[in-house]
């Protein structure tokens, strides 16, 4: 960091601390308008010239300024005849306001004496010094945080509106310091892997300061690390041309060298520069499950894996059991080793159960989404595709030391996208299959325990006193458990809770269980015998909970959802589940969340099939869970879309859900429960409940639009559609296809979306379903608008409008009106476009919830219509309000699209720098969602903005990429992009 602590002042280390003046609570700002406060009261500071005198005194660091110096500061070489009297008058007025102990007269001059923390500039200097120290010590993230805090002290232009040569000079110096600090912070952004986020700000800054080469250099690096090599090279070409035209010079050597490194595709440039010490991650995840206090044995494996982790250089360690054997202690060993290795991975530890042994193994893209959130990536920045998520994940881990524990993997293909791939990180993988096809992996085959280790584990749980007198019986027990840790733990836990049993009693009972299960395969015999023993000793209520809880799909389940499934109140359910945790038959993944070991889940389901009487109880349990999820999700939907009639057409639910008063809390629930919700949708559809499953999909439509869960949402919609079709339920199939249409449209697959929509509308008419009859034509209208089929769009939207009105669905009516407004705008009917949008907004605003998500849709349409009529100030206000609601509602797609529309607006009012900045932000947010057609439109607008600020080479690259996309899609927009790329005609001499 450049050693520059601000203009006209000494660095903090040179300043002697001053005691705080008694009885004062004064604060002053100069990094913006010059102001004075006493406590929370803003004090009158007089005319601009009087404030200029105050600023001159504040910036002298308590030193006395003579009257002559102050006259020179205010008027320069041409002071008025009464300058001295005026200075004295200003000083007198300020002394009355501030107090004579603050503004003092001495040696024929004046001074302001205040504590150092009373002036924003000195706070900024202190923060700059702290940031420099942090960066020098290798803590780049702390340095970045401090500089961001420092820059946040500015409130517009420093010394705003103050007259006089001194204020002008200080204003220029402070602005230069601010720019230097911004460059330093952007440099740190790149060093910690935030290059994609930095592109937008750097684009705006290079437009505002076109001759500042350091900004151009940072922009080239940010673009290169974002995979935009051609644009990075175009920045150099633009810079070289500009410098030659404006100054007659070539770029500085550092910029030319950077160009050559980009041309060579320098791998070192693609990652942050080395620092004296490892950087800290923006967030330090600590996701490892708790290690067991009675971990036993496995010393050679602990030592072997620990040594490898201590010298991690990006290798991958796979801890594998022999094929087919579960319960051998893979997870316990991996978690134990990972906890011991934590000091070697100071930037955090990630953990996931990949459910590889179950029917539905975790999808890598879902896991990557969870990892990225844990690492501090906002939902809006998480792309949709697997490849893009994996690339962002590796970039986020680059330069950090993080341990990733991938538990219960299905195969190597599942885990490859989840491996860090960077030096300093490591991965531990557990699986039932040997990862022979995982390149570079260190394979460890974990067998059952030795008799000595097994006996030691048993003794630690049961107690030495009970085992010492019955050693032979204890050996019989661990042998009956097949020396498998999971079986030993369950058997020992059962004995520990039965003080009247002897070890011999337990051994005899296990022998009986083995005889009862002699038809089982030998590999599962010991574990199932142990399960049978543990299950057989449960109280009836415990046994019921154990059976029914195992029926639910999903990686884990919340306490509230479990209570619904069991038909119990929360306190009773919690007490019951905690007793199952105590028996080791259930695991507590986190406070208020529970899960099964996959073998235990299979056994629990087998018990439910065998013992749950009457059998309908199994279906009723899953029905209650579906009711709970549907009722809760419907409540979230109602908060986001008040007055929406679709909820009145949902299937009736018998079991209540959670209720929320605050939108943020409701959305937190929806997104945190996304895996369980989507699993419930697919499971319910497959067991004869497709109608409520389809309604649950509709209630959680926000997940489909968020970007982070779009793929999983579409998969679940397809599952419900197929199941409903098989069952002959036209209403459920129509609604599922409606949601699939929506998901395909969000991803930009308009032709596929139209095909689904046609079938959905047929089914809606067959079932006379008002939901599909309104929503499907509405969606078809938007698809037709995107495909420039304006007559079709108007027909579809008119049909939707009639259907919504027939159903009394006012928000639906408003949606159709706003969409119809966009058709009128596209066909040149701007006045009616504004009128239609205003009608829609009026309906939305009539609702009591001014921040309803649908209002953002209305403001979006109104902003577009107003832009078309040239009422740009009102348009910008509408679009900005829409963007704020979309962002708060976590609607990544529409947040990005509103930024795109703001970029178009800035182009219309000849603000190309703002246009380029907004378009860059839109590109970053829409990464991986919205489809290539939307991306090409944003690239086209970005190119226009760049061309407007003279960055024509980079604009050409953007247009070429957009043209390639439009050509591949067969989109008519290709023609207009070709015109942009065509060389300008050469004027002919007359």
């Amino acid at each position: 960091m450049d050693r520059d602590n601000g203009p006209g002042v000494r660095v903090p280390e040179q300043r002697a601390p001053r005691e705080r003046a008694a009885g004062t609570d004064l604060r002053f700002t100069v990094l913006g308008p010059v102001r004075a406060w006493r406590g929370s009261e803003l004090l009158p500071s007089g005319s601009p010239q009087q404030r200029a005198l105050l600023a001159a005194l504040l910036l002298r660091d308590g030193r006395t300024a003579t009257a002559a110096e102050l006259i020179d500061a205010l008027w320069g070489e041409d002071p008025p005849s009464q300058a001295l009297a005026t200075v004295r008058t200003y000083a007198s007025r300020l002394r009355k306001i501030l107090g004579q102990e603050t503004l003092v007269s001495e040696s024929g001059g004046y001074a302001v004496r205040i504590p150092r923390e009373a002036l924003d500039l000195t706070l900024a200097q202190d923060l700059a010094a702290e940031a420099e120290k942090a960066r020098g010590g290798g803590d780049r993230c702390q340095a970045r945080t401090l500089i961001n805090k420092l820059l946040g002290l500015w409130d517009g232009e420093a010394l705003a509106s103050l007259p006089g040569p001194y204020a002008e000079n200080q204003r220029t110096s402070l602005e230069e310091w601010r720019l230097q600090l911004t460059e330093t912070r952007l440099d740190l952004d790149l060093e910690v892997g935030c290059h994609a986020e930095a592109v937008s700000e750097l684009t705006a800054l290079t437009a505002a300061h076109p001759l500042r080469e350091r900004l151009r250099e940072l922009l080239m690096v940010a673009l290169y690390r974002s995979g935009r090599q051609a644009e990075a090279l175009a920045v150099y070409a633009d810079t070289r041309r500009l410098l030659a035209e404006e100054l007659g010079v070539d770029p500085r050597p550092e910029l030319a060298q950077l160009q050559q490194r980009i041309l060579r595709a320098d791998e070192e440039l693609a990652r942050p520069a080395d620092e004296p010490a490892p950087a800290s991650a923006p967030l330090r995840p600590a996701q490892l499950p708790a290690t067991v206090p009675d971990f036993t044995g496995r010393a050679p494996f602990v030592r072997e894996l620990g040594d490898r982790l201590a010298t991690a250089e990006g290798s991958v360690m796979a801890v594998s059991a022999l094929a087919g054997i579960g319960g051998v202690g893979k997870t316990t060993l991996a978690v134990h080793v990972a906890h011991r290795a934590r000091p070697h991975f100071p930037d955090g530890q990630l953990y996931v159960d990949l459910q590889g042994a179950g029917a539905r193994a975790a999808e890598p893209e879902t896991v990557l989404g969870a990892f990225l959130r844990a690492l501090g990536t906002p939902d809006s920045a998480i792309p949709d595709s697997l490849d893009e998520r994996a690339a962002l994940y590796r970039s986020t881990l680059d330069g950090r030391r993080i341990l990733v524990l991938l538990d219960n993997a299905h195969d190597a293909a599942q885990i490859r996208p989840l491996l860090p791939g960077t030096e300093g990180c490591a991965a531990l993988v557990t699986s039932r299959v040997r990862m022979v096809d995982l390149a570079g992996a260190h394979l460890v085959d974990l067998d059952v325990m030795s008799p000595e280790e097994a006996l030691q584990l048993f003794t630690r749980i049961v107690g030495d006193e009970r085992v010492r007198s019955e050693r032979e019986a204890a050996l019989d027990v661990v042998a009956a458990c097949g020396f498998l840790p999971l079986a030993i733990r369950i058997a020992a836990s059962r004995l520990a809770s039965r003080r009247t049993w002897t070890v011999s009693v337990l051994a005899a009972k296990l022998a009986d269980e083995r005889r009862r299960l002699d038809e089982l395969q030998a590999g599962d015999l010991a574990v199932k015998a142990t399960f049978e023993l543990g299950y057989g000793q449960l109280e009836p209520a415990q046994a019921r909970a154990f059976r029914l809880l195992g029926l639910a799909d999903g990686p884990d389940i919340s306490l509230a959802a479990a209570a619904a499934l069991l038909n119990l109140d929360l306190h009773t359910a919690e007490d019951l589940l905690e007793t199952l945790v105590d028996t080791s038959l259930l695991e507590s993944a986190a406070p208020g969340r529970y899960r099964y070991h996959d073998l235990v889940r299979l056994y629990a389901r087998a018990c439910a099939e065998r013992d749950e009487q009457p059998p309908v109880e199994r279906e009723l349990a899953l029905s209650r869970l579906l009711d709970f999820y549907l009722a809760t999700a419907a409540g979230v939907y109602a908060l986001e879309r008040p007055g929406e009639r679709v909820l009145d057409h949902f299937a009736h639910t018998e079991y209540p859900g959670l209720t929320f008063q605050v939108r943020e809390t409701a959305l937190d629930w929806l997104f945190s429960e996304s895996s369980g919700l989507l699993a419930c949708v697919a499971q319910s559809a497959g067991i004869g409940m497709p109608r409520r499953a389809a309604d649950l999909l509709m209630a959680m439509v926000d997940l489909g639009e968020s970007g982070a869960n779009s793929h999983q949402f579409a998969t679940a919609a397809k599952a419900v559609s197929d199941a409903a079709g098989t069952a002959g339920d036209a209403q459920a199939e129509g609604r599922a296809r409606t949601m699939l249409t929506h998901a395909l449209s969000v991803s930009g697959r308009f032709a596929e979306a139209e095909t689904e929509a046609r079938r959905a509308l047929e089914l809606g008419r067959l079932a006379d379903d008002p939901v599909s009859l309104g929503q499907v034509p509405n969606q078809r209208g938007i698809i037709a608008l995107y495909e420039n089929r304006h007559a079709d769009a108007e027909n579809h939207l008119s049909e939707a409008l009639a259907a919504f009105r027939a159903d009394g669905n006012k928000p639906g009516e408003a949606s159709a009106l706003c969409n119809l407004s966009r058709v009128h705008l596209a066909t040149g009917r701007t006045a009616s476009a504004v009128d239609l949008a205003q009608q829609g907004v009026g309906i939305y605003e009539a609702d009591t919830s001014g921040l309803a998500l649908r209002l953002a849709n209305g403001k979006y349409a109104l902003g577009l219509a107003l832009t078309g009529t040239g009422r740009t100030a009102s348009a910008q206000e509408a679009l900005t309000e829409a963007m704020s609601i979309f962002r708060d509602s976590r609607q990544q797609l529409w947040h990005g699209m509103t930024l795109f529309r703001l970029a178009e607006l800035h182009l219309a009012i000849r603000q190309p720098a703002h246009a380029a900045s907004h378009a860059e932000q839109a590109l970053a947010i829409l990464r991986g969602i919205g489809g290539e057609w939307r991306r090409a439109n944003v690239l086209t607008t970005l190119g226009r903005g760049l061309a407007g600020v003279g960055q024509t080479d980079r604009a050409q690259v953007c247009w070429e990429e957009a043209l390639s996309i439009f050509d591949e899609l067969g989109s008519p927009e290709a023609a207009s992009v070709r015109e942009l790329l065509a060389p300008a005609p050469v004027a002919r001499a007359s």
Side-chain angles (χ1 to χ4, degrees):
M1 184 175 183
D2 295 335
R3 186 61 173 167
D4 186 350
N5 289 77
V9 296
R10 290 172 287 172
V11 297
E13 290 80 3
Q14 295 173 313
R15 298 166 52 110
R18 298 190 295 270
E19 293 185 4
R20 190 173 182 86
T24 67
D25 191 17
L26 289 170
R27 292 182 296 112
F28 299 88
T29 62
V30 294
L31 301 177
V34 174
R35 294 178 179 141
W37 282 268
R38 178 172 281 110
S40 59
E41 178 190 2
L42 179 63
L43 301 177
S45 49
S47 65
Q49 207 158 48
Q50 182 171 306
R51 283 185 279 116
L53 183 134
L54 175 60
L57 294 174
L58 288 169
L59 292 174
R60 292 184 68 85
D61 191 23
R63 290 174 284 116
T64 300
T66 66
E69 288 174 325
L70 291 173
I71 290 171
D72 185 62
L74 268 61
W75 292 285
E77 297 179 357
D78 189 25
S81 59
Q82 299 299 313
L84 180 59
T86 302
V87 166
R88 288 172 177 168
T89 300
Y90 290 158
S92 176
R93 291 173 181 171
L94 287 169
R95 187 182 292 114
K96 291 178 182 178
I97 297 168
L98 305 177
Q100 60 184 7
E101 74 282 0
T102 299
L103 200 160
V104 299
S105 302
E106 60 183 24
S107 304
Y110 304 94
V112 169
R113 301 285 165 76
I114 55 174
R116 62 179 297 100
E117 66 271 18
L119 180 63
D120 59 353
L121 177 58
T122 56
L123 291 175
Q125 292 165 350
D126 290 347
L127 287 169
E130 289 181 50
E132 182 179 10
K133 183 178 179 181
R135 193 179 189 190
D139 196 343
R140 294 173 290 182
C141 286
Q142 175 65 4
R144 182 170 171 252
T145 299
L146 289 168
I147 294 180
N148 273 325
K149 184 177 180 181
L150 187 168
L151 290 170
L153 294 175
W154 258 268
D155 183 18
E157 183 182 51
L159 307 175
S161 304
L162 292 192
Y166 180 79
E168 183 59 35
N169 290 337
Q170 291 297 309
R171 189 160 40 240
T172 301
S173 297
L174 285 168
E175 181 57 30
E176 173 61 24
W177 188 46
R178 182 185 188 181
L179 199 52
Q180 289 173 1
L181 290 166
T182 302
E183 288 176 341
T184 300
R185 198 259 302 149
L186 286 162
D187 198 11
L188 288 164
D189 286 349
L190 301 187
E191 289 180 8
V192 299
C194 296
H195 36 267
E197 295 85 345
V199 171
S200 172
E201 186 176 358
L202 282 163
T203 296
L205 285 169
T206 53
H209 306 278
L211 298 176
R212 201 170 181 100
E213 291 182 70
R214 178 59 178 150
L215 289 173
R216 300 277 183 146
E217 183 179 340
L218 292 170
L219 178 56
M220 288 172 67
V221 174
L223 287 167
Y224 179 67
R225 289 184 182 167
S226 301
R228 298 160 69 177
Q229 181 181 11
E231 282 185 71
L233 292 170
V235 170
Y236 178 81
D238 284 328
T239 306
R240 183 177 182 180
R241 185 186 65 256
L242 180 67
L243 290 172
E245 292 174 353
E246 296 290 329
L247 304 176
V249 298
D250 289 329
R252 63 181 186 170
E254 294 88 346
L255 209 60
Q257 290 165 9
L258 178 59
Q259 182 218 22
Q260 291 303 311
R261 294 182 70 185
I262 294 173
L263 285 168
R264 295 195 305 268
D266 189 332
E267 292 185 5
E268 290 299 316
L269 183 62
R271 51 179 167 267
D274 292 333
E275 287 291 320
S280 304
L283 287 181
R284 294 179 175 87
Q287 296 184 337
L288 295 177
T291 187
V292 293
D294 48 25
F295 181 85
T296 303
R298 309 299 199 191
F301 297 115
V302 172
R303 187 165 50 251
E304 177 183 354
L305 291 168
D307 289 346
R308 290 186 64 85
L309 288 176
T311 57
E313 295 181 355
S315 56
V316 180
M317 285 128 287
V319 182
S320 303
L322 294 173
I325 291 183
V328 78
K330 304 180 296 294
T331 298
T332 302
L333 172 62
V335 169
H336 180 75
V337 169
H339 273 283
R340 287 170 59 98
R342 284 183 65 182
H344 299 292
F345 300 94
D347 296 329
Q349 306 83 40
L350 296 168
Y351 170 84
V352 66
D353 177 3
L354 294 170
Q355 307 168 62
R360 292 186 178 91
E363 295 181 339
E365 53 262 54
T366 303
V367 175
L368 286 169
F371 278 178
L372 287 167
R373 292 186 196 96
L375 291 166
T377 307
D379 280 341
S380 62
I382 298 176
D384 193 43
S385 73
L386 173 60
D387 289 344
E388 287 183 307
R389 287 189 180 191
L392 179 59
Y393 169 66
R394 291 190 295 272
S395 297
T396 304
L397 291 182
D398 196 19
R400 307 179 192 177
R401 292 186 62 83
I402 286 181
L403 175 62
V404 184
L405 177 45
L406 305 172
D407 191 20
N408 195 12
H410 179 68
D411 54 22
Q414 184 190 28
I415 67 169
R416 283 194 187 99
L418 310 179
L419 300 178
T422 56
E423 185 175 340
C425 294
L428 275 172
V429 182
T430 75
S431 177
R432 292 195 185 180
V433 298
R434 202 165 188 269
M435 296 285 180
V436 292
D437 53 344
L438 190 61
H442 172 65
L443 302 181
V444 175
D445 293 327
L446 191 63
D447 204 345
V448 297
M449 285 182 151
S450 67
E452 293 77 14
E453 290 178 330
L455 184 61
Q456 186 181 3
L457 174 61
F458 183 78
T459 303
R460 285 192 173 183
I461 299 171
V462 173
D464 182 66
E465 184 179 345
R466 297 176 76 180
V467 175
R468 191 185 312 120
S469 60
E470 294 187 273
R471 179 178 171 83
E472 291 303 317
L475 286 170
D476 289 341
V477 169
V478 296
C481 291
F483 305 109
L484 286 168
L486 176 63
I488 295 168
R489 185 172 298 280
I490 293 173
S493 297
R494 177 54 50 199
L495 181 60
S497 65
R498 294 289 189 273
R499 303 305 301 175
T500 59
W501 284 14
T502 64
V503 180
S504 300
V505 169
L506 175 62
K509 288 181 175 292
L510 272 176
D512 287 343
E513 297 296 350
R514 288 175 67 85
R515 283 192 291 273
R516 284 178 55 197
L517 298 169
D518 58 6
E519 74 280 3
L520 296 175
Q521 294 181 356
D524 293 329
L525 183 57
V527 176
K528 290 189 177 179
T530 309
F531 292 167
E532 196 73 24
L533 173 66
Y535 171 66
Q537 299 302 318
L538 295 176
E539 298 294 332
Q542 293 175 311
R544 173 181 177 271
F546 174 75
R547 294 191 301 267
L548 294 182
L549 205 61
L551 296 174
D553 283 349
D556 62 3
I557 191 168
S558 69
L559 173 61
L565 184 143
L566 298 173
N567 200 20
L568 298 172
D569 64 81
L570 280 176
H571 294 298
T572 303
E574 184 174 25
D575 290 344
L576 202 54
L577 297 183
E578 288 298 325
T579 64
L580 291 176
V581 171
D582 292 340
T583 66
S584 297
L585 289 172
L586 187 66
E587 300 173 13
S588 180
R593 301 201 73 84
Y594 300 90
R595 69 182 178 198
Y596 283 107
H597 185 286
D598 55 278
L599 283 178
V600 181
R601 182 195 294 273
L602 291 174
Y603 177 74
R605 289 185 174 184
C607 289
E609 291 282 342
R610 182 188 69 195
D611 299 337
E612 195 61 44
Q613 298 298 329
V616 72
E617 281 299 318
R618 301 195 297 271
E619 181 179 331
L620 289 174
L622 291 174
S623 179
R624 286 192 297 271
L625 179 63
L626 176 57
D627 273 359
F628 168 79
Y629 280 144
L630 176 54
T632 308
V636 178
Y637 187 98
L639 277 176
E640 286 286 273
R641 300 166 175 81
E644 176 63 71
R645 278 273 292 153
V646 68
L647 297 176
D648 298 331
H649 300 297
F650 278 1
H652 176 68
T653 56
E654 299 288 343
Y655 200 91
L658 301 175
T659 57
F660 304 101
Q661 302 301 318
V662 181
R663 292 172 64 248
E664 187 68 21
T665 306
L667 289 172
D668 284 343
W669 178 87
L670 183 70
F671 283 85
S672 65
E673 292 289 335
S674 58
S675 295
L677 287 166
L678 291 166
C680 181
V681 165
Q683 182 179 26
S684 301
I687 59 173
M689 306 177 194
R691 184 161 295 193
R692 278 181 291 159
D695 290 348
L696 178 53
L697 265 179
M698 286 194 153
M700 52 196 245
V701 66
D702 284 347
L703 292 179
E705 291 188 349
S706 69
N709 301 279
S710 301
H711 173 72
Q712 293 78 13
F713 185 88
T715 301
K718 183 69 167 62
V720 177
S721 171
D722 292 345
T726 301
D729 190 331
Q731 176 179 301
E733 184 182 358
R735 292 186 181 183
R737 287 184 182 272
T738 300
M739 289 295 96
L740 188 53
T741 298
H742 183 71
L744 291 168
S745 179
V746 164
S747 64
R749 295 154 64 183
F750 301 126
E752 295 173 67
E754 173 64 13
T755 300
E756 285 294 334
R758 287 176 183 167
R759 179 58 181 152
L761 190 57
E762 292 173 4
L763 291 162
R765 288 168 177 161
L766 181 64
D768 193 23
D769 177 24
V771 175
S772 296
L773 291 176
Q775 288 197 13
V776 177
N778 203 24
Q779 290 183 11
R780 291 187 75 189
I782 289 297
I783 293 168
L785 174 64
Y786 286 152
E787 294 183 333
N788 294 308
R789 296 183 286 109
H790 298 132
D792 289 343
E794 190 157 358
N795 290 335
H796 294 319
L797 292 170
S798 297
E799 181 182 352
L801 187 59
F804 285 133
R805 284 172 171 164
D807 188 39
N809 188 339
K810 299 298 288 184
E813 178 185 346
S815 173
L817 287 168
C818 289
N819 291 333
L820 199 55
S821 162
R822 295 177 60 186
V823 177
H824 281 230
L825 180 65
T827 51
R829 294 170 284 173
T830 54
S832 58
V834 172
D835 180 62
L836 288 166
Q838 287 175 333
Q839 289 181 51
V841 169
I843 293 173
Y844 290 136
E845 289 182 332
D847 190 272
T848 56
S849 176
L851 283 179
L853 176 60
R854 282 298 184 87
L855 176 60
N857 296 330
K859 293 287 186 177
Y860 178 87
L862 180 59
L864 296 185
L866 290 169
T867 301
T869 62
R871 294 156 63 183
T872 52
S874 298
Q876 185 169 356
E877 181 181 349
L879 288 171
T880 301
E881 185 177 352
M883 183 180 68
S884 177
I885 299 173
F886 285 137
R887 182 183 60 242
D888 293 344
S889 299
R890 308 179 197 182
Q891 293 301 303
Q892 184 177 344
L893 172 66
W894 292 109
H895 181 194
M897 287 303 296
T898 310
L899 282 165
F900 163 62
R901 299 303 186 182
L902 282 166
E904 290 186 319
L905 184 149
H906 283 296
L907 279 179
I909 58 178
R910 300 175 186 242
Q911 294 179 344
H914 290 328
S917 177
H918 280 85
E920 270 294 351
Q921 291 178 62
L923 272 185
I925 289 174
L926 293 173
R927 185 172 53 213
I929 66 165
E932 288 296 280
W933 179 80
R934 290 186 177 93
R935 174 177 169 78
N937 278 291
V938 178
L939 282 168
T940 304
T941 297
L942 174 58
R944 291 179 186 272
L946 292 170
V949 295
Q951 298 183 26
T952 53
D953 284 82
R954 188 176 164 205
Q956 291 276 120
V957 172
C958 293
W959 291 334
E960 286 167 1
E961 185 178 353
L963 180 61
S964 174
I965 294 171
F966 285 140
D967 279 343
E968 185 174 345
L969 296 175
S971 300
E973 290 86 354
S976 60
V977 179
R978 280 195 176 85
E979 291 179 7
L980 292 170
L981 285 165
V986 179
R988 302 178 68 180
S990 57

